Amino acid sequence: MSEEILINVTPNETRIAVVENGVLQDISIERSSRRGLVGNIYKGVVSRVLPGMEAAFVEIGLERTAFLHVSDLYQSQRYDNETESKHYEPISRTLNESQELLVQVIKDPIGSKGARLSTQISLASRYLVYMPLAEEKVGISQKIEDETERQRLKDLISKLNA
């Protein structure tokens, strides 16, 4: 099995491709004029809590304050086994103004709207996803469709956790 990583850098753009056995597996393009924020992790400060919207605005050092909805708060989620649905604590019970929290950008700012945030931090690699706040700290990437390979990786993770 041969694997190559091809990198092309120009003043305006960086392109990276992963090729296995002559087949393109992954490609990433980053433009210097339009760098996205999705995936970035910040230590933010709650600037305003809006109980009516079940949301908060969080200052993370950008031009506009970022938006955090209660459904993206890790601490507020409760799962109801009877109805098999998620329920959320009111945001006013979970967050206070001036509170510091670790957040990850899940949607870039658009126009007059700030970035969308989540406290459900995840660091994705090609095969695994590390989720430091979740009960299961390591998950399998959804990009892996082969069930045999998914099971093999799950077994390896189980052995490491034992």
Side-chain angles (χ1 to χ4, degrees):
M1 174 160 139
S2 70
E3 182 175 74
E4 294 177 292
I5 298 175
L6 307 172
I7 302 172
N8 178 274
V9 180
T10 65
N12 299 324
E13 188 175 79
T14 300
R15 294 178 289 234
I16 301 171
V18 177
V19 179
E20 282 183 0
N21 297 325
V23 178
L24 179 66
Q25 296 296 317
D26 191 23
I27 189 163
S28 176
I29 300 172
E30 185 174 279
R31 292 179 176 88
S32 58
S33 62
R34 176 77 174 106
R35 288 199 171 147
L37 301 174
V38 172
N40 289 0
I41 298 171
Y42 298 91
K43 180 178 178 183
V45 178
V46 177
S47 62
R48 197 162 160 213
V49 178
L50 305 170
M53 288 179 59
E54 289 296 334
F57 287 101
V58 180
E59 181 59 51
I60 59 171
L62 302 175
E63 287 181 34
R64 304 185 78 40
T65 54
F67 180 79
L68 176 64
H69 189 264
V70 71
S71 64
D72 296 315
L73 268 171
Y74 181 75
Q75 305 91 307
S76 71
Q77 293 184 13
R78 305 282 181 264
Y79 190 75
D80 185 351
N81 289 330
E82 290 180 21
T83 62
E84 295 185 10
S85 62
K86 288 183 183 178
H87 296 283
Y88 304 99
E89 286 285 324
I91 198 158
S92 56
R93 287 191 198 164
T94 311
L95 295 180
N96 302 312
E97 289 185 17
S98 301
Q99 178 180 345
E100 293 182 344
L101 47 121
L102 197 62
V103 292
Q104 186 169 29
V105 177
I106 57 174
K107 188 174 180 184
D108 281 322
I110 299 174
S112 63
K113 294 184 177 185
R116 175 106 185 235
L117 303 175
S118 174
T119 60
Q120 301 170 38
I121 308 297
S122 66
L123 301 172
S125 70
R126 190 162 175 200
Y127 297 112
L128 302 175
V129 180
Y130 176 60
M131 301 163 290
L133 302 176
E135 287 181 33
E136 296 286 327
K137 301 269 186 233
V138 179
I140 308 300
S141 173
Q142 292 178 349
K143 292 179 183 176
I144 300 174
E145 296 173 0
D146 180 15
E147 277 305 314
T148 309
E149 180 65 7
R150 290 183 68 79
Q151 191 58 50
R152 185 184 76 80
L153 291 171
K154 285 180 184 179
D155 293 343
L156 285 171
I157 291 169
S158 297
K159 288 178 186 175
L160 288 173
N161 288 334

